[in-house]
Amino acid sequence: MTHAVEIKDLHKSFGSLEVLKGVDFTVDEGQVVCVIGPSGSGKSTLLRCVNLLEQPTKGKVTVGGVELTDPDVDIDAARRRLGMVFQSFNLFPHMTVLQNVMIAQRRVLKRGKQEAERIARENLDKVGVGAKCDAYPPQLSGGQQQRVAIARALAMDPALMLFDEPTSALDPELVGDVLSVMRKLAQDGMTMLVVTHEMSFAREVADRVVFMDGGVIVEEGPPGQVIGDPQHARTRTFLRRVLDPTYSGDDDTSETADADGGRAATPGSAGG
């Protein structure tokens, strides 16, 4: 069986700092996998290694049966199968919403103007901002801009969508609109790899949740298990802090020691 994404023994270092320490996991076609964990755990670096925005130090990344880490791969062709939505919207402020969603279609996929416009309008309608086609990004709310960014990625007909904390830059009241769009994509069968702090989204939408800390996968499984009944002490501590902002963590001493022990064992097993 060919996985939509297959990652084997993935390592990434920035100078002397090892950010990923031997990560192995897969995403199957049509699955939604949410990656959670504290800041600095390697989540975003993992996502950026999937489409080679960061070059892995060691290991193998395969997407749709194509090994992206093969030195001879046509990376531009391979990336066309991937849509990515970042924390920041990265829209061209001097172009209208419609033009923002058309430009990559025209330049990368070489679509004609009429076809690119039709597909752009369809996807802008899909994410609920079809009425904003003639507006410019600075005239939109953050949530609207992020939905335009999603439409832009969808217009390229990706087989896989990557989301890097897509709601982290939004005001709280705007988060729901973006998550609603992502829920609809999941219902439509889009394969998605999502780095997120939105635990309710992960619990409701993900087929699998991956908890990372210290550059390794500490725990993974169905959301009911990882979020609802975590087996690892480090996962429990993290979720307490995320789900209860008033939690001080003063009684974490023994659990943190256990978690550190678990983390120390994990890279060796993954790297072996």
Side-chain angles (χ1 to χ4, degrees):
M1 175 183 175
T2 300
H3 299 289
V5 180
E6 186 171 13
I7 294 173
K8 289 187 175 180
D9 193 26
L10 186 65
H11 293 250
K12 176 61 182 176
S13 296
F14 296 96
S16 61
L17 177 64
E18 191 177 19
V19 178
L20 298 177
K21 303 176 182 178
V23 173
D24 296 271
F25 80 101
T26 60
V27 181
D28 290 333
E29 188 173 339
Q31 270 195 335
V32 178
V33 175
C34 285
V35 183
I36 64 173
S39 297
S41 60
K43 308 183 302 296
S44 293
T45 300
L46 170 65
L47 206 65
R48 293 172 70 86
C49 283
V50 170
N51 65 359
L52 295 199
L53 287 176
E54 297 289 355
Q55 186 70 39
T57 306
K58 176 186 173 186
K60 189 187 277 190
V61 176
T62 304
V63 176
V66 177
E67 186 191 334
L68 272 61
T69 41
D70 183 336
D72 298 324
V73 73
D74 183 343
I75 189 60
D76 291 332
R79 278 197 184 123
R80 286 172 200 156
R81 296 173 48 81
L82 308 176
M84 186 151 185
V85 178
F86 299 88
Q87 297 176 33
S88 54
F89 321 122
N90 297 326
L91 300 175
F92 294 112
H94 63 288
M95 292 183 176
T96 66
V97 163
L98 186 64
Q99 290 168 337
N100 266 281
V101 182
M102 289 175 62
I103 185 169
Q105 295 186 67
R106 301 292 311 280
R107 294 190 178 180
V108 177
L109 301 182
K110 308 301 182 187
R111 285 175 177 158
K113 183 178 179 181
Q114 286 187 328
E115 182 185 17
E117 181 173 340
R118 174 182 61 78
I119 292 170
R121 290 185 183 276
E122 285 176 1
N123 283 288
L124 288 165
D125 284 340
K126 182 184 291 188
V127 301
V129 288
K132 301 294 185 180
C133 284
D134 297 325
Y136 289 85
Q139 298 172 317
L140 305 181
S141 70
Q144 289 170 332
Q145 290 187 64
Q146 191 62 293
R147 283 184 280 162
V148 172
I150 294 172
R152 178 182 56 190
L154 292 174
M156 303 297 285
D157 297 328
L160 168 69
M161 285 286 286
L162 307 173
F163 292 88
D164 186 7
E165 299 190 23
T167 60
S168 65
L170 302 180
D171 292 335
E173 68 268 23
L174 304 176
V175 168
D177 291 338
V178 173
L179 293 181
S180 176
V181 169
M182 294 171 65
R183 282 190 185 91
K184 180 65 165 58
L185 291 179
Q187 291 165 2
D188 290 344
M190 175 61 74
T191 308
M192 297 163 60
L193 182 55
V194 184
V195 170
T196 185
H197 287 298
E198 301 290 343
M199 294 302 124
S200 60
F201 175 84
R203 189 192 294 268
E204 294 167 22
V205 180
D207 296 293
R208 204 162 88 251
V209 173
V210 173
F211 172 67
M212 289 187 67
D213 188 35
V216 299
I217 293 175
V218 175
E219 185 168 352
E220 65 177 306
Q225 174 191 312
V226 176
I227 298 177
D229 185 24
Q231 303 302 299
H232 199 285
R234 182 65 186 96
T235 316
R236 292 194 292 272
T237 300
F238 169 76
L239 288 169
R240 280 183 199 158
R241 291 176 183 272
V242 170
L243 300 174
D244 181 6
T246 65
Y247 177 66
S248 67
D250 291 340
D251 59 346
D252 287 347
T253 307
S254 60
E255 288 203 347
T256 303
D258 291 343
D260 287 343
R263 283 207 303 275
T266 308
S269 60

